[in-house]
């Protein structure tokens, strides 16, 4: 029996981005470019390709530029139209029509769990997807859509998971999992930033989840955890332990735009595939590599 179709998504984008300072001082890390598009546009496009219709972006007082990116710029559009730059004009107009976008500000930076809690009235009584604003995942089958299908099949909260290295797991979340079939797992326990003796497995939650609306009451009761922040993982733990959650080891390549190396990897790999600059960039990279 299929469960509800996921129609709404939340993109938390109100973090301080301390790992990518100084660029994130005045420029939101979610607006960092991957060749010619900001990270958050790739994420919105993934949500749209996953069948999402309404998207709430959680911002804060320094992130108005995110809202501007998805809006019209009449004087720029008029200039493109009058100079016959139809392709650029079409692309710009396409960005404004991607989805129904909504914005709300997280008034204090109290953690990812607190940011998701700001979405309560937008979400209402439906299950919804969460796409972390600094995690870009590129692939033919959108990662968010893979999680939505798992929700429709099992009717439980879903987390996007991947195996990480023993060093990374200490900075991420660690999950207790049992394989269901193929890339699907049952998740029954989790811990955020475990000490080495508390690691449950090398599977970690990366960048995407689908949550039932019951998460909001749980978040209201969740005290600050690791780093003094309200951790979404701590709230999801309550779901995992009571009802269980589904883990999807999604296909697609994830780029962590909240970390300097991740930004460089994304730029390099997307540039190599880019229709306009890909060939020249490949040539340049080969020449450069020969000198290393
Ligand atoms: P991160 O923990 O990766 O973001 O949160 P951060 O706090 O900006 O990172 P550092 O450690 O300071 O570099 C994952 C996602 O949750 C959002 C972030 O914008 C990011 O997209 N977030 C985090 C919020 O929206 N609000 C918060 O209070 C914290």
């Amino acid at each position: 029996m299929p469960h509800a179709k996921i129609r709404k998504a939340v993109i938390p984008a109100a973090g301080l981005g301390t790992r990518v300072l100084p660029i994130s001082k005045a420029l939101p890390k979610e607006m960092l470019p991957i060749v010619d598009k900001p990270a958050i546009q790739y994420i919105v496009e993934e949500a749209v390709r996953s069948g999402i219709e309404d998207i709430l972006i959680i911002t804060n007082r320094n992130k108005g530029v995110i809202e501007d990116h998805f809006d019209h710029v009449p004087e720029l559009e008029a200039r493109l139209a009058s100079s016959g730059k139809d392709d650029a004009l079409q692309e710009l107009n396409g960005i404004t029509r991607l989805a129904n976008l909504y914005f709300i500000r997280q008034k204090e930076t109290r953690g990812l769990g607190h940011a998701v809690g700001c979405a309560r009235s937008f979400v209402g009584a439906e299950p919804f997807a969460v796409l972390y604003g600094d995690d870009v995942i590129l692939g033919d089958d959108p990662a968010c859509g893979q999680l939505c299908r798992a929700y429709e099949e099992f009717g439980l909260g879903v987390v996007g998971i991947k195996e990480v290295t023993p060093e990374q797991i200490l900075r991420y979340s660690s999950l207790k999992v049992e394989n269901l079939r193929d890339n699907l797992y049952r998740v029954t326990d989790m811990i955020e930033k475990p000490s080495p003796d508390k690691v449950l497995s090398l599977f970690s939650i990366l960048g995407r989840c689908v949550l039932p609306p019951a998460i909001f009451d749980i978040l209201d009761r969740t005290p600050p955890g690791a780093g003094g922040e309200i951790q979404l993982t701590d709230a999801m733990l309550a779901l995992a332990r009571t009802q269980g959650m589904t883990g999807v080891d999604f296909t697609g390549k994830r780029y962590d735009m909240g970390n300097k190396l991740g930004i460089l990897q994304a730029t390099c790999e997307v540039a190599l595939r880019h229709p306009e600059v890909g060939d020249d960039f490949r040539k340049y990279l080969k020449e450069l590599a020969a000198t290393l």
Side-chain angles (χ1 to χ4, degrees), residues 12-19 29-30 106 109-112 115 132-134:
L16 296 177
T18 56
R19 284 166 299 148
K29 63 178 167 175
E30 296 79 9
Q106 183 188 18
T109 313
R110 294 177 56 202
L112 177 58
Y132 300 12
D134 57 357

Side-chain angles (χ1 to χ4, degrees), residues 64 98 125 179 183 190 221:
L98 278 170
N179 186 251
N183 63 341
M190 58 183 73
R221 297 193 298 269

Side-chain angles (χ1 to χ4, degrees), residues 93-273:
N93 281 332
I95 296 170
T96 64
R97 292 195 216 104
L98 278 170
N100 300 319
L101 288 183
Y102 301 82
F103 297 86
I104 193 169
R105 287 186 179 194
Q106 183 188 18
K107 307 287 188 312
E108 291 169 274
T109 313
R110 294 177 56 202
L112 177 58
H114 178 260
V116 170
C118 299
R120 188 193 265 265
S121 64
F122 165 80
V123 165
E126 299 182 37
F128 63 103
V130 180
L131 297 92
Y132 300 12
D134 57 357
D135 267 319
V136 170
I137 303 176
L138 300 178
D140 292 336
D141 186 9
C144 174
Q146 298 174 46
L147 270 64
C148 291
R149 293 200 294 275
Y151 183 88
E152 285 159 30
E153 179 173 351
F154 298 102
L156 297 172
V158 187
V159 280
I161 64 173
K162 286 254 166 241
E163 276 187 297
V164 301
T165 64
E167 296 76 46
Q168 286 170 326
I169 200 77
L170 309 177
R171 291 179 278 117
Y172 292 30
S173 56
S174 171
L175 310 179
K176 187 172 173 196
V177 296
E178 285 159 42
N179 186 251
L180 290 169
R181 65 164 202 264
D182 310 320
N183 63 341
L184 297 178
Y185 293 80
R186 187 173 168 76
V187 179
T188 51
D189 204 357
M190 58 183 73
I191 178 168
E192 181 69 27
K193 300 188 177 56
S195 53
D197 57 318
K198 298 261 166 57
V199 171
L200 299 167
S201 78
L202 292 182
F203 274 107
S204 188
I205 301 173
L206 292 183
R208 304 287 180 266
C209 52
V210 172
L211 298 168
I215 197 75
F216 293 110
D217 284 344
I218 302 174
L219 279 168
D220 283 349
R221 297 193 298 269
T222 302
E229 298 197 326
I230 298 178
Q231 298 287 348
L232 185 59
T233 313
D234 291 343
M236 289 196 284
L237 169 67
L239 284 182
R241 284 194 180 157
T242 51
Q243 336 176 334
M245 293 184 81
T246 308
V248 178
D249 185 355
F250 54 83
T251 60
K253 179 101 192 254
R254 167 185 173 265
Y255 301 99
D256 180 0
M257 296 296 289
N259 129 5
K260 291 176 190 179
L261 187 61
I263 298 166
L264 294 169
Q265 288 165 335
T267 303
C268 215
E269 292 181 31
V270 173
L272 284 169
R273 295 194 295 268

